[in-house]
Every structure is written in C-alpha cells, then in structure tokens.
Amino acid sequence: MAQSSLTSKAIVLLSGGLDSATAAAQAIADGYDLIALSFDYGQRHQRELEAARAVAKHLAIADHHFIDVNLAQWGASSLTDLAQPLPQDGLEAGIPSTYVPGRNTVFIALALALAEAKGAKAIYLGINAVDYSGYPDCRPEYLAAFQQLAQLSSKAGLEGHAPALVAPLVMDSKVDIVRRAVALGVPIEQTWSCYQGGVEPCGRCDSCRIRDRALIEAGYPDLATVTGQGQAQPS
C-alpha cells in the first residue's frame, strides 16, 4: 500500500468501470487527494464517461479532467471500430479484439504530464493482468518499463521524484476486485463495464460476463446484470 501524507496528490485514470473506480477508492484510502483523468478516445459509447462522472461525484473527487484523444481514427479495435463485432463467446486466445493499440501508453503519458504539472506523487491505474492477460499494456513488466520511462523523461524524474505508477489491482482476480470495491465503499451499481452503450448493461458481452460471474462468486448476485430471462449470464 502506498504511503502518503493527507495532503499529497495522486492522479487516477478513471474510465467509469469497476476496476478504475476501485483503484480510485484505494488511492483515497491510501491518503491521497485525488485528481481524476478520463478520456474520450472514440469508444463506442459515452456511457462509461457518464459513469466516471458519477463515480467521481460519489467519491468527492472535485478535480476531474476530460481529454479527447481520438484513437478511433484508425480503428483496429472492436471497441472503436463499429464494423468489428464485439466478443460475446468467452475470452479470445491471444490478444483480444478489444485491445486498443497504444491506449494505455497514451493515457499514462498524459497522466504523467498532469501529475508533473500538479505536483502529484502517484498515478493510480485500474489495470488488471488476470482477466485481461492478453493485453500487452496490462502487465507488471509493462508498468515497470513505464516507471523507468517516467524517471527518464521528466523534470520530476531527473530530480528523483517521478510519480509512482500504482496498480493495486494488477494481480487481483475479478472476485478479489469486487470484494475490495465493497470494502472501500465503491458505488458498484454506478460503474459501467459493458462494451455496449444503452440504459442497462447488455449482460452478453465478455466484459459483462466476467463482471457478473465475479459478482455472483463474491456473493453479490443482486448487483449482476439481469437479462430478459431474469438470470445473470456469467461465463
């Protein structure tokens, strides 16, 4: 757990999903004054950004920045290219179609810029290597390499105080994340993990299935997606 004074600042990458909301709540529990950073990167819908606003409000994060970075211009991901089907049949072998080229690298680079400008001591990330091990930018070795880059590429780093990249959930299972979220008071019902937009989660995409399975296994079936058949649909 990060050690910090109550006045130290941290940046949190807040997508609006369960993982990033839990990382934000963990940063607050670790004693940081949070600055949230959210991105409109050309994703299929704005629903997760609405969730990010709701989570930030619930956690009393007053300083919340939104940045447009249109990674959809060149497609190459089912999350940004409407012509590509979203996976609904379980996790794909290898790197999933939902991987967005360069997304975390761009996001963390901008978070580093914000952290240096604001004097933040840490950047909290909700990335997870267990359920999304196919993503090359959700792995501990990726974080370690980016931490070295932070030390080499900034004034703060050259002065010996580059922001620490903190990924408290990186090796947690999704069930562990649910339990941590509950313990930290995360408004799980206000988070959004579904790959689709809409009023309610679809309950069919891989992200919904992973989330629902974890909620059920953690003992919170009432928070799982309910389909028209009245049954949660975990994979």
Side-chain angles (χ1 to χ4, degrees):
M1 181 176 291
Q3 298 298 316
S4 156
S5 71
L6 292 176
T7 58
S8 293
K9 295 179 181 178
I11 310 298
V12 62
L13 292 183
L14 189 62
S15 70
L18 174 61
D19 295 355
S20 70
T22 306
Q26 185 63 66
I28 293 171
D30 290 346
Y32 285 103
D33 180 15
L34 274 191
I35 301 169
L37 180 59
S38 300
F39 293 93
D40 183 343
Y41 61 91
Q43 57 267 55
R44 283 175 173 258
H45 57 78
Q46 296 291 300
R47 187 63 181 80
E48 63 182 9
L49 292 178
E50 295 171 12
R53 290 186 179 92
V55 169
K57 181 178 180 180
H58 182 94
L59 297 178
I61 303 172
D63 196 353
H64 193 178
H65 298 263
F66 290 83
I67 296 179
D68 292 337
V69 182
N70 189 8
L71 301 179
Q73 293 181 80
W74 40 79
S77 169
S78 59
L79 292 188
T80 58
D81 186 350
L82 296 180
Q84 290 193 42
L86 289 167
Q88 295 186 349
D89 300 316
L91 291 178
E92 305 163 77
I95 298 176
S97 68
T98 52
Y99 164 69
V100 181
R103 179 176 60 177
N104 282 349
T105 300
V106 171
F107 289 2
I108 298 173
L110 289 169
L112 283 170
L114 179 59
E116 188 166 24
K118 297 288 189 176
K121 304 299 184 184
I123 298 171
Y124 273 69
L125 312 165
I127 65 175
N128 176 259
V130 177
D131 286 322
Y132 294 97
S133 58
Y135 287 11
D137 54 1
C138 287
R139 300 175 180 177
E141 54 268 35
Y142 168 82
L143 281 178
F146 219 119
Q147 185 68 70
Q148 184 178 15
L149 176 64
Q151 293 164 352
L152 295 173
S153 64
S154 65
K155 178 177 181 290
L158 292 178
E159 293 174 349
H161 48 86
L165 300 183
V166 182
L169 317 179
V170 67
M171 297 308 297
D172 282 3
S173 70
K174 189 63 76 173
V175 173
D176 292 334
I177 293 171
V178 168
R179 289 172 176 158
R180 188 196 292 247
V182 171
L184 291 170
V186 172
I188 295 177
E189 70 285 353
Q190 294 184 37
T191 64
W192 186 269
S193 301
C194 182
Y195 291 149
Q196 303 280 7
V199 177
E200 300 290 339
C202 73
R204 297 182 301 275
C205 71
D206 284 354
S207 185
C208 279
R209 289 154 65 91
I210 292 169
R211 174 185 171 120
D212 283 356
R213 180 178 60 195
L215 287 166
I216 292 168
E217 291 180 1
Y220 301 95
D222 55 313
L223 294 177
T225 298
V226 177
T227 69
Q229 300 299 315
Q231 296 292 326
Q233 296 293 314
S235 57

